[in-house]
Amino acid sequence: MGDPAADASAAWRPRLAPRARLRWDEVEKRYMLVFPEAALMLNETAPEILKLCDGEHTIEGIVDSLVQRFAGIERKTIEEDVTSFVARIRARGLLEG
Amino acid sequence: MVQLHLSGGEPVVRKDLPELIRHAHSRDLYTNLITGGTLLNEEMLRQFRDCGLDHIQLSIQDTDRRTAELVAGIRSYDKKLEIAPLIKKLGLSLTINVVMHRMNIDHVPALITQAAELGAQRLELANTQYHAWAEKNRNALMPTRAQLDQAEAVVFEARPRYQGTMEIAYVKANYYSEHPKPCMGGWARSYMVITPTGEVLPCHAAHVIPGLHFDSVRDQSLTTIWAESKGLNAFRGESWMQEPCKSCPMKTIDFGGCRCQAFMLAGDAAVADPVCSLSPHHDIIQEAIAQAEQGDGRFIYRDSRNSERLSIRPLEPASR
């Protein structure tokens, strides 16, 4: 792993850490990211980002995929969303690669 | 329901543990095993992993063998250090748990380094909560304020260095806190404890409070119990509160603190936690802190003779 404090570069291929699990919650009708002693309730786009954190997709690839999926939202906006979300999850040690 | 903690005592002694893990996994629960590690071996770990275990929390007493084994009461130091790399080798994620007290709190720098070397993704440094046996041993366990300040400074300094690789969780020393802790995130708000006999409690310690009735999963569904249990509803929300809690702006944040501690220290589970500086019983806490500064006290170990002598209520119903 590189410098964890550095911004995620476009070529990085993040992978969700084994201790974190993306799960659909039937009660809340939302996705949550579950990890030891905690869970994050996710908005609509976050699960789509996390599903692509598979060690195959680069950050750029994730952005490309979301641009196609969410037509009508500017690429720049999506790029910012992905970068900031990934950085936050990475700082909690929940992304590898 | 999101998470299942298989806790104890020592959960590994249960023969049906693989079955419990498999079932929890099939219901999409994030499953944690909280263990001392001394009864584990590679074969068991592999089996638990294959059943769908997500995470292991391994307790370690100290980096110093002598005090580690003094607190544990058994020779367990080497065994724990053997088991941690096996957990990592099998690809299970690992939290190292350390309960802190006056003899190990000065070793926080070494504990952090050791946890990182053992491959932990998370280190939980939790100050002792003075319930049950810890309460009997309070004078021998409670650190001084200077020790706590030093430990906290070390943790704050270390966190950025391990950011992204190892999370360092720190549970503050309750007696020294300005405000009481929101115990269990509030009585029966987020957590429930199911005992080996099937009783559903709001926390491990709730049996110390007399007169509460808790229901069993042998008789009713968990959903019904969660909503309707008299014991769980006894201190839920705010209607049970009296002053100074009742009109306190902090009441939705700390929920009046710990009910068990209020009962143990002030004799009434419905009063403010004496840790709170606004509590009329706060002098009890100040006195305990003053005693800790004196630093005398010997250990009283948990064994059958001491249990009987002190008649500490076991977790199982007394009729058993």
Side-chain angles (χ1 to χ4, degrees), chain A residues 1-2 4-5 17-25 27 32 34-39 90-96, chain B residues 1-3 5 25 27-32 34 52 54-55 57 91 93 95 121-122 124 163-165 167 191:
Chain A
M1 180 181 282
R19 71 187 172 122
R21 187 132 63 79
L22 183 65
R23 80 190 278 280
W24 172 256
D25 193 83
V27 179
M32 49 173 77
V34 191
F35 47 99
E37 305 270 343
R90 187 190 205 184
R92 298 192 78 144
L94 301 176
L95 286 178
E96 298 180 343
Chain B
M1 227 175 301
V2 180
Q3 301 227 8
H5 287 194
H25 184 70
R27 303 301 298 262
D28 205 21
L29 290 171
Y30 190 94
T31 309
N32 281 290
I34 302 174
D54 289 291
H55 189 75
Q57 301 196 10
S93 66
T95 291
Q121 288 91 7
R122 188 165 170 274
E124 183 174 315
Q163 196 189 28
T165 54
E167 179 192 348
Y191 298 93

Side-chain angles (χ1 to χ4, degrees), chain B residues 242-255:
Chain B
Q242 14 179 309
E243 294 299 349
C245 297
K246 206 172 174 177
S247 60
C248 181
M250 292 291 287
K251 71 177 174 185
T252 54
I253 294 163
D254 63 30
F255 309 101

Side-chain angles (χ1 to χ4, degrees), chain B residues 95-318:
Chain B
T95 291
I96 300 276
N97 285 349
V98 187
V99 175
M100 288 190 300
H101 48 79
R102 66 186 301 132
M103 279 177 296
N104 69 1
I105 195 161
D106 297 332
H107 306 156
V108 166
L111 285 162
I112 292 172
T113 310
Q114 187 187 59
E117 282 170 5
L118 291 173
Q121 288 91 7
R122 188 165 170 274
L123 169 65
E124 183 174 315
L125 299 166
N127 276 286
T128 307
Q129 299 190 38
Y130 298 104
H131 295 265
W133 286 92
E135 194 257 328
K136 304 287 170 210
N137 285 288
R138 195 173 66 194
N139 288 342
L141 294 173
M142 198 144 95
T144 65
R145 189 178 289 277
Q147 283 184 300
L148 285 164
D149 289 346
Q150 175 63 24
E152 280 186 37
V154 170
V155 169
F156 283 122
E157 184 273 325
R159 268 186 187 146
R161 277 191 286 127
Y162 291 96
Q163 196 189 28
T165 54
M166 183 173 79
E167 179 192 348
I168 306 174
Y170 181 80
V171 181
K172 283 188 161 191
N174 186 232
Y175 275 42
Y176 287 92
S177 302
E178 214 175 311
H179 302 289
K181 63 170 185 264
C183 196
M184 304 302 281
W187 181 277
R189 279 185 88 245
S190 314
Y191 298 93
M192 56 182 145
V193 172
I194 306 175
T195 71
T197 58
E199 261 187 305
V200 182
L201 309 177
C203 67
H204 278 89
H207 268 140
V208 301
I209 303 173
L212 292 179
H213 176 78
F214 295 109
D215 295 304
S216 168
V217 289
R218 290 168 194 265
D219 307 320
Q220 295 171 59
S221 79
L222 211 44
T223 313
T224 306
I225 293 173
W226 180 247
E228 293 172 15
S229 156
K230 286 197 178 108
L232 295 188
N233 282 322
F235 298 109
R236 228 180 210 153
E238 297 157 21
S239 57
W240 57 272
M241 287 181 181
Q242 14 179 309
E243 294 299 349
C245 297
K246 206 172 174 177
S247 60
C248 181
M250 292 291 287
K251 71 177 174 185
T252 54
I253 294 163
D254 63 30
F255 309 101
C258 173
R259 297 303 88 227
C260 303
Q261 190 154 277
F263 175 76
M264 284 191 306
L265 299 179
D268 182 350
V271 299
D273 186 333
V275 163
C276 182
S277 56
L278 302 172
S279 159
H281 304 100
H282 189 58
D283 58 310
I284 298 169
I285 298 292
Q286 286 171 318
E287 200 175 305
I289 290 173
Q291 273 178 21
E293 296 291 339
Q294 303 290 319
D296 84 279
R298 281 171 301 162
F299 279 145
I300 303 166
Y301 283 99
R302 179 179 183 171
D303 57 29
S304 51
R305 193 175 56 86
N306 282 331
S307 293
E308 205 157 308
R309 188 167 61 83
L310 298 165
S311 62
I312 287 187
R313 292 164 65 98
L315 206 57
E316 293 81 13

Side-chain angles (χ1 to χ4, degrees), chain A residues 69-84:
Chain A
R69 184 126 14 127
F70 297 96
I73 305 177
E74 264 184 73
R75 184 183 176 91
K76 192 167 173 293
T77 311
I78 290 181
E79 217 166 52
E80 282 167 8
D81 278 0
V82 170
T83 313
S84 76

